[in-house]
């Protein structure tokens, strides 16, 4: 009896040692790979002459210092600058809000057709899903640049780009939510003679709408960032103002815009977390 | 009996009251939303899409992504000297292509186009022969004052087919998508589109310019050297790598740069994020001040968008790897730090207590009591952020940080090399899909979940 126990302990110990060895090996390989990537990255970058690490580290604080000293030198006028760029900020936010709203509405309808538990026709489901995949796989920036080229500068190309991407991104999440919802209410409605739309309206939507809205709010937050970025390529708003000021090196203005953006993004972050917690009761997405 | 009926009625009334209140709120909300949407449709001038959208430009754009054009250029003043170019004067053919037969100004040089029709370039005229639906050849020439005209149609422009547009200084002839003739006062240009990406493997200056890809592969293993100083294999690879039309080298280097940006950025974010997360977690760090300041630091790092970080670092490091990597590292240290500190606080304390009961010191308690619990979350989140950072690196790259994003934006904004744009777009999409698949697989191998 005792011998077998000893034996099995030995066996386990041996296994443990073997595992520890494999693990150590993996760790060494992993660290080696990381070190290799970092050194080769640094060497590669120096070779490309695309900015040197050591020179860059020396100048690391130059720009932030310039920004703060510029804003300091502007004194009280700096707050006036903040006021000047606020309307631009609202244009950017409004662009994001409107495109998110349009994308949300389209995504709700498309997601119903991409859910196997609501649509029995396989062709419709896979066609809708592929459409959503295509819409999602192109980043807003790519669609926006193409549309800006075709339609000229303005907010409209950016609006369409964010809209299309939002439909793709939200549509997939929505259809997953619909597919995971409880089908019992739907069956109950069906047994009472409810039609397809009535089953969706009273059986599915009440279950998934809170989740839909929380996804939508998260998307709004992402889209505010996206519409700022699209401003850089000619969609107007605060992104364009930031780009202009950076190319002119107007430090106080850059500082004002950055401050506005940081405040907006942080506020949105907190707001969306709060609203989402209210909506879905703290369920982690 | 009567009392029970009255109760039911009372309940119904109550329900109705509730429903009407609910309905009022719903109607108000819907009205506000619809009002906002209507206002925004008007403000963004959504109906103007139809007006701004030029199908012609879109068609050209699409055509240019999958086809290339050859240009035949004749200047009226020196009509004997006709030039044949690849694309927009990138390269002048040294030998005439097979569809072009050169002759003197009297007989005229011939440009064959599809379905058996052809252009003839004579000293003073350009003629289009044999296009289906044309009874007689169209003859393009000039008035005495140099403005372009179509002979015989001067006073009956309505009789022209609808694919010809005749304005004061220019005649634009586009019988189909792949053929175009432009007649100006100074010159006449024929654009001849053909399918495919020409010179994709070897550019025109290469000794292998006219060799197809598969022939080149065959050539790599043949012993007759094309260039006596170099083996065929290295010649072929060199010529592909240094292609001057498709810039394979530049694009691959830029892709690598973008990938490294995401990799280094995410790695450093993980490296700094995890220890800071421990310091910011309530069940690890007893000092309120440390926790509070770390949380505000995470908020600051996260709240400043990756784009803004990249603009700040752009001044210090210039466009390139470090700008992108630092921007990603700063943003994601904030995100990962916040996320992981929450995960640590939610970790089960029983395991830690178990380790403590063996008399282990604090650091060992954390190492064996908490770290194993949060490791799966940490790995999967880091991989998710790596995926999204590859996309992010393309975007901040386009905003100035370098890499494939910048190349892409550059090619897009010059507006002439749409085949290069399409090529890069395909490469970026493939890269993103590949990274997604790899990271999903890695997640499965490392932590056994998707």
């Amino acid at each position: 009896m005792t011998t077998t126990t000893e034996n099995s302990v030995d066996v386990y110990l041996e296994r443990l040692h073997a595992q520890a060895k494999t693990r150590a090996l993996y760790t060494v390989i992993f660290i080696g790979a990381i070190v290799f990537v970092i050194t080769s990255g640094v060497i590669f970058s120096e070779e490309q002459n695309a900015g040197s690490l050591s020179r860059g580290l020396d100048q690391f604080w130059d720009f932030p210092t310039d920004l703060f000293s510029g804003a300091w030198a502007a004194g009280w006028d700096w707050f006036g600058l903040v006021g000047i760029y606020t309307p631009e900020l609202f244009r950017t936010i409004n662009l994001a809000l409107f495109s998110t709203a349009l994308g949300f509405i389209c995504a709700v309808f498309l997601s119903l057709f991409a859910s196997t538990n609501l649509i029995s026709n396989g062709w419709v489901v896979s066609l809708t899903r592929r459409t959503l995949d295509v819409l999602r796989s192109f980043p807003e920036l790519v669609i926006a640049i193409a549309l800006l080229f075709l339609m000229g500068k303005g907010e409209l190309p950016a609006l369409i780009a964010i809209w299309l991407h939002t439909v793709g991104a939200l549509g997939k999440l929505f259809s997953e939510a619909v597919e995971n919802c409880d089908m019992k209410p739907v069956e109950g409605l069906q047994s009472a003679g409810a039609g397809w739309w009535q089953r969706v309206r009273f059986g599915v939507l009440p279950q998934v709408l809170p989740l839909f809205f929380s996804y939508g709010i998260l998307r709004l937050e992402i889209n505010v960032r996206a519409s700022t970025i699209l401003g850089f390529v000619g969609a107007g708003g605060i992104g364009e103002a930031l780009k202009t000021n950076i190319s002119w090196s107007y430090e106080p203005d850059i500082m004002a815009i950055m401050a506005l953006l940081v405040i907006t993004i942080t506020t949105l972050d907190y707001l969306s977390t709060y609203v989402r917690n209210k909506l879905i009761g703290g369920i982690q997405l | 009996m009567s009392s029970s009926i009255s109760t039911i009625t009372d309940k119904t009334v109550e329900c109705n009251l509730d429903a009407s209140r609910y309905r009022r709120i719903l109607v108000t909300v819907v009205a506000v939303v619809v009002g906002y949407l209507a206002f925004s449709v008007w403000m963004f001038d959504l109906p103007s899409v139809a007006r701004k959208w030029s199908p012609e430009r879109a068609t050209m754009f699409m055509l240019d992504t999958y086809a290339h054009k050859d240009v035949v250029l004749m200047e009226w003043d020196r009509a004997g000297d006709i030039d044949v170019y690849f694309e927009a004067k990138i390269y002048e053919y040294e030998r005439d292509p097979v569809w072009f037969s050169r002759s003197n100004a009297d007989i005229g040089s011939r440009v064959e186009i599809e379905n058996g029709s052809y252009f003839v370039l004579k000293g003073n005229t350009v003629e289009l022969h044999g296009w289906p639906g044309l009874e007689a050849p169209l003859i393009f020439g000039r008035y005495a004052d140099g403005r372009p005209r179509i002979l015989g149609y001067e006073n009956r422009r309505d009789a022209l087919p609808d694919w010809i547009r005749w304005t004061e200084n220019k005649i634009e002839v586009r019988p189909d998508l792949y053929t175009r003739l432009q007649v100006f006062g100074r010159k006449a240009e024929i654009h001849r589109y053909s399918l495919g990406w020409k010179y994709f493997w070897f550019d025109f200056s290469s000794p292998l310019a006219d060799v197809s890809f598969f022939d080149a592969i065959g050539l790599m293993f043949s012993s007759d050297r094309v260039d006596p100083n170099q083996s065929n294999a290295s010649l072929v690879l060199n010529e592909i790598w240094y292609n001057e039309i498709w810039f394979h080298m530049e694009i691959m280097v830029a892709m690598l740069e973008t990938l490294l940006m995401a990799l280094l950025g995410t790695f450093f974010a993980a490296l700094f994020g995890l220890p800071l997360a421990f310091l910011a977690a309530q069940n690890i760090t007893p000092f309120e001040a440390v926790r509070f300041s770390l949380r505000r630091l995470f908020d600051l790092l996260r709240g400043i968008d990756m784009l803004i970080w990249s603009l700040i670092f752009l001044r210090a490091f210039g466009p390139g790897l470090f700008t992108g990597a630092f921007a990603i590292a700063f943003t994601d240290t904030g995100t990962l730090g916040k996320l992981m500190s929450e995960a640590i606080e939610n970790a089960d304390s029983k395991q830690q207590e178990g380790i403590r009961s063996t008399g282990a010191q604090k650091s060992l308690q954390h190492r064996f009591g908490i770290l194993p619990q949060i490791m799966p979350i940490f790995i999967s989140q880091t991989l998710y952020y790596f995926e999204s950072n590859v996309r992010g690196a393309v975007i901040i790259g386009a905003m100035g940080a370098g890499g494939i994003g910048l190349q892409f934006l550059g090619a897009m904004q010059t507006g002439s090399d749409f085949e290069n744009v399409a090529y890069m777009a395909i490469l970026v999409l493939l890269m993103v899909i590949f990274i997604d698949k790899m990271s999903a697989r890695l997640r499965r191998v490392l932590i056994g979940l998707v």
Side-chain angles (χ1 to χ4, degrees), chain A residues 89-105 155 158-159 162-163 166 170 213 216-228 268 271, chain B residues 32-33 35-37 39-41 43-44:
Chain A
L89 176 71
F90 278 104
R91 283 176 61 175
T92 297
I93 294 177
N94 193 31
L95 176 66
L97 184 63
F98 185 47
S99 48
T100 314
L102 287 178
F104 185 87
I105 294 167
E155 285 179 317
L159 173 73
I162 301 180
W163 176 7
T166 304
L170 284 183
F213 278 114
I217 288 166
L218 205 61
R219 196 72 221 172
L220 176 66
E221 200 191 319
I222 297 169
N223 283 349
V224 169
R225 292 166 193 246
S227 76
T228 311
L268 265 177
L271 207 66
Chain B
V32 168
V33 170
Y36 170 72
L37 289 181
F39 166 76
S40 294
V41 166
M43 207 199 85
F44 286 103

Side-chain angles (χ1 to χ4, degrees), chain B residues 254-266:
Chain B
M255 295 254 293
L256 187 65
E257 202 171 27
T258 299
L259 214 56
L260 279 179
M261 266 181 213
L263 198 63
L264 286 182
T266 319

Side-chain angles (χ1 to χ4, degrees), chain B residues 31 66 95 138 185 284 384 387 399 401 422 425:
Chain B
Y66 64 83
R95 268 185 303 126
L138 284 172
I284 306 285
Y384 271 127
E387 272 172 50
M399 303 294 105

Side-chain angles (χ1 to χ4, degrees), chain A residues 162-224:
Chain A
I162 301 180
W163 176 7
L164 292 179
H165 189 79
T166 304
V167 173
L170 284 183
K172 183 194 175 231
L173 294 173
F174 286 2
S175 75
E176 279 171 4
V178 170
E179 289 199 325
N180 287 329
C181 81
D182 187 4
M183 285 305 280
K184 290 209 181 79
V186 179
E187 282 159 18
L189 283 163
Q190 193 164 16
S191 70
W196 184 82
W197 171 244
Q198 285 168 323
R199 291 200 299 263
V200 170
R201 164 71 185 79
F202 296 104
V204 177
L205 286 186
Q207 289 187 58
V208 292
L209 268 184
L211 203 57
F212 279 15
F213 278 114
S214 63
Y215 281 135
I217 288 166
L218 205 61
R219 196 72 221 172
L220 176 66
E221 200 191 319
I222 297 169
N223 283 349
V224 169

Side-chain angles (χ1 to χ4, degrees), chain B residues 146-437:
Chain B
R147 282 179 298 123
R149 66 164 170 166
I150 306 176
L151 271 68
Y153 286 90
E154 291 88 346
N155 299 315
R156 49 185 199 104
R157 293 190 183 187
D158 316 340
L160 286 167
D162 57 359
W163 37 263
I164 294 181
R165 266 198 314 196
W166 186 348
T167 55
E168 188 67 8
N169 296 315
K170 178 183 174 186
I171 299 174
E172 165 107 19
V173 185
R174 187 140 207 164
D176 71 356
L177 198 55
Y178 294 95
T179 314
R180 173 157 76 167
L181 167 69
Q182 290 174 311
V183 187
F184 301 94
R186 213 168 50 78
K187 62 178 182 176
E189 259 186 49
I190 297 168
H191 295 177
R192 192 177 178 284
Y193 284 89
S194 5
L195 287 180
W197 287 353
K198 211 180 180 189
Y199 298 123
F200 184 73
W201 301 109
F202 308 108
D203 63 27
F204 39 75
S205 60
S206 154
L208 305 169
D210 299 322
V211 181
S212 80
F213 177 64
F214 291 106
D215 288 348
I217 296 283
L219 201 64
M220 283 171 77
F221 300 104
S222 93
S223 53
D224 307 325
R225 287 193 166 183
V226 178
D227 178 0
N229 302 321
Q230 198 174 15
S231 81
N232 279 339
S234 85
L235 176 74
V236 167
L237 294 179
N238 249 320
E239 292 300 329
I240 294 177
W241 191 239
Y242 294 107
N243 188 318
E244 280 169 22
I245 295 181
W246 290 92
F247 303 108
H248 294 302
M249 181 187 76
E250 283 84 351
I251 288 175
M252 288 305 157
V253 166
M255 295 254 293
L256 187 65
E257 202 171 27
T258 299
L259 214 56
L260 279 179
M261 266 181 213
L263 198 63
L264 286 182
T266 319
F267 173 72
F268 279 107
L271 195 69
F272 293 114
L274 190 62
L276 289 181
F278 267 96
L279 287 180
Q282 199 164 15
N283 49 348
I284 306 285
T285 311
F287 311 111
E288 172 72 34
V290 174
R291 275 187 279 131
F292 181 81
S293 46
L294 272 176
R295 294 212 161 200
R296 293 296 83 77
L297 176 70
F298 292 154
D299 283 345
L300 183 75
L301 291 174
R302 221 153 37 95
I304 300 179
D305 201 64
M306 199 187 280
L307 171 70
I308 296 177
W309 280 123
S310 82
L311 294 174
I312 290 173
F313 296 129
L314 194 58
R315 284 290 171 94
F317 298 107
L321 178 63
F322 297 119
T323 306
F326 271 105
I328 291 171
F330 271 62
T331 320
D332 277 0
T333 303
T335 335
L336 274 175
K338 174 176 184 264
L339 222 102
M340 291 325 294
S341 70
E342 280 164 10
I344 291 168
E345 283 175 2
N346 289 330
D348 194 352
S349 61
K350 294 220 174 60
Q351 304 184 20
Q352 196 191 354
E353 280 162 22
I355 307 278
R356 195 196 299 155
S357 69
T358 66
Q361 69 201 62
K362 264 271 174 336
S363 62
L364 287 177
Q365 286 172 31
H366 299 154
R367 163 69 185 82
F368 293 102
I370 288 178
L371 200 62
Q373 287 189 60
I374 60 158
M375 217 48 196
I377 307 175
F378 177 65
I379 290 173
S380 76
Q381 287 301 325
T382 309
L383 285 172
Y384 271 127
Y385 279 107
F386 174 57
E387 272 172 50
S388 98
N389 284 340
V390 173
R391 297 160 202 261
V394 176
I395 288 173
I396 57 171
M399 303 294 105
I404 191 76
L406 199 59
Q407 298 263 358
F408 184 81
L409 193 72
M412 194 87 197
Q413 283 179 338
T414 55
S416 59
D417 313 319
F418 286 121
E419 53 274 66
N420 286 27
V421 173
Y423 174 46
M424 279 187 253
I426 290 170
L427 283 181
V428 169
L429 268 186
L430 287 180
M431 175 170 79
V432 168
I433 292 171
F434 176 75
I435 295 290
D436 284 5
K437 293 262 180 275

